[in-house]
Amino acid sequence: MDRTVAFYTLGCKLNFAETSTIARDLVEQGLRKVEFGQPADLYVINTCSVTDNADKRCRAVVRQALRNNPEAFVAVVGCYAQLKPEEIASIPGVDLVLGATEKFNLTRYLDDLSKNDMGEVHSCEIREADFYVGSYAIGDRTRAFLKVQDGCDYKCTYCTIPLARGISRSDTLENVLENAREISARGIREIVLTGVNIGDYGKGENGDKRHKHTFLDLVRALDDVPGIERVRISSIEPNLLKNETIDFVAGSRHFVPHFHIPLQSGSNSILKRMRRRYMRELYADRVARIREVMPHACIGVDVIVGFPGETEDHFMETYNFLHELEVSYLHVFTYSERADTPAAKMDGAVPPAERNRRSKMLRSLSAKKRRAFYQEQLDTEQTVLFEGENKKGYIHGFTRNYVKVKAPWDPALTGTTLRVRLTEIDSDGLVRMEPVSPAFAI
């Protein structure tokens, strides 16, 4: 019998990597993968719980799956499944909920795919999530997300990730390199390193708290993997981004000049309330070091607005700090209360309307920062790696330093690199270009 499975992933690149690993296991068991919008016998939903909105999205995705096939078996895994398993099990139509230790064992719980009267829960105490399962995701012929680390030992007061994913632990260096070689053999041109706290790489590699290797060891080893043109670091804590790593990336063959570094607040007093492990001065030092050795690097920032106790003065500290800082774009998160976190019990709650106003101000600043960064790159020669989707008659791609470019649709460009000159910023904010070689016309 030809049984089909479809997947939906909410949240981060790490979730996408893990969904791909689960998918490969199910395909090996004889299921045929189809798109999520199609009728399927089994739907697997990998959830996120970083924001309240992600929880609501889970319910909406379950409804969408059942509209495609009301008789489908629905399995929910991931962070929300670990944090709120009974809540998910009560969603009409959910048949199976797997927590942090069981999500990679989905095949054990699948029999004839007949629906259950109530959602069946297999969760765990999060302290049991102390082992590592390697993953990587290949969404197209362009890039792969390679998981190198999981869990987090930090105790940021707003964050549920340690509750959902457990302690910090790492893949072995040998296994990371083997996965990278597999990705290279598939003709993928770019690897994006993912994890919960990848700068902590090496902890738990031997099953204990010691570091057998460091993040710098990992970076150096991956730079020698043949066949991969680009390696991109997805997100790294400022206190774990050492000068030695920055300097290595500046002179490496394959690591690209793009860093995404969470800040969360530009106010030291709010950083202390968040229990972050640095002050704004260290963050500024990291940005300055990158700019010193890689003047054209792209630097992205995560920032949270509306944290409990954040006054207008605190917010303006953040706004002015970011305004003056030489960064390229912001990912702005509006604070939302998460159950079982210390921040949810703090006084000084910021009214939702004020949170939204501050978010809007920073999103506007981000748009200005990104445009200014793109403007600086005009009239330079860059190498673009093209993606594979036709977007309203255009093909998109990224330079090594993460400038998003567009060209008239040509399927032959998919997954290829081309040397171009950046010419102008279009009305949609993307950058137009022309090939450096006149023999290649776009």
Side-chain angles (χ1 to χ4, degrees), residues 299-335:
I299 304 174
V301 183
D302 286 342
V303 59
I304 297 171
V305 297
F307 187 80
E310 183 189 67
T311 64
E312 180 68 10
D313 286 346
H314 292 139
F315 170 69
M316 289 311 299
E317 274 190 81
T318 297
Y319 185 91
N320 292 329
F321 180 67
L322 288 168
H323 186 271
E324 297 300 321
L325 208 59
E326 284 191 80
V327 294
S328 313
Y329 64 89
L330 315 176
H331 281 172
V332 183
F333 298 89
T334 304
Y335 173 77

Side-chain angles (χ1 to χ4, degrees), residues 198-241:
I198 63 173
D200 204 26
Y201 176 80
K203 183 182 285 186
E205 191 182 351
N206 286 337
D208 56 33
K209 286 291 185 181
R210 292 175 301 166
H211 279 74
K212 181 178 180 183
H213 296 100
T214 65
F215 184 70
L216 180 58
D217 293 334
L218 174 70
V219 167
R220 284 174 169 155
L222 283 169
D223 204 43
D224 288 332
V225 174
I228 297 295
E229 290 186 21
R230 299 179 176 183
V231 186
R232 201 176 294 275
I233 300 169
S234 61
S235 181
I236 184 167
E237 293 286 300
N239 52 300
L240 296 176
L241 179 57

Side-chain angles (χ1 to χ4, degrees), residues 45-209:
I45 302 168
N46 193 357
T47 60
C48 167
S49 195
V50 170
T51 67
D52 186 50
N53 185 54
D55 296 356
K56 295 171 184 173
R57 286 287 309 281
C58 176
R59 293 177 176 270
V61 174
V62 170
R63 290 195 296 270
Q64 183 182 343
L66 293 172
R67 281 197 299 271
N68 296 332
N69 179 10
E71 300 304 315
F73 190 94
V74 177
V76 181
V77 303
C79 292
Y80 183 30
Q82 174 63 32
L83 292 174
K84 303 287 184 181
E86 303 297 338
E87 199 172 291
I88 295 178
S90 69
I91 298 173
V94 170
D95 299 288
L96 179 65
V97 182
L98 298 183
T101 60
E102 294 303 307
K103 61 189 171 187
F104 294 106
N105 298 324
L106 177 57
T107 55
R108 294 183 190 173
Y109 299 100
L110 301 177
D111 188 11
D112 59 357
L113 297 185
S114 58
K115 291 193 72 61
N116 295 325
D117 294 332
M118 292 187 63
E120 182 182 326
V121 174
H122 295 273
S123 60
C124 66
E125 292 296 322
I126 196 59
R127 64 176 177 271
E128 297 172 29
D130 58 359
F131 55 91
Y132 187 87
V133 178
S135 305
Y136 64 84
I138 296 174
D140 53 34
R141 285 160 38 198
T142 306
R143 67 178 57 83
F145 301 126
L146 174 58
K147 173 183 170 184
V148 300
Q149 183 273 342
D150 201 354
C152 187
D153 292 340
Y154 288 8
K155 298 292 186 280
C156 301
T157 54
Y158 54 82
C159 188
T160 59
I161 294 300
L163 301 174
R165 285 188 169 270
I167 61 172
S168 178
R169 54 210 188 271
S170 307
D171 205 350
T172 64
L173 183 60
E174 293 79 10
N175 197 52
V176 171
L177 295 176
E178 179 58 32
N179 285 338
R181 286 188 284 267
E182 285 183 22
I183 291 166
S184 174
R186 292 170 177 254
I188 305 298
R189 314 296 283 275
E190 180 176 309
I191 286 177
V192 182
L193 301 183
T194 67
V196 175
N197 188 0
I198 63 173
D200 204 26
Y201 176 80
K203 183 182 285 186
E205 191 182 351
N206 286 337
D208 56 33
K209 286 291 185 181

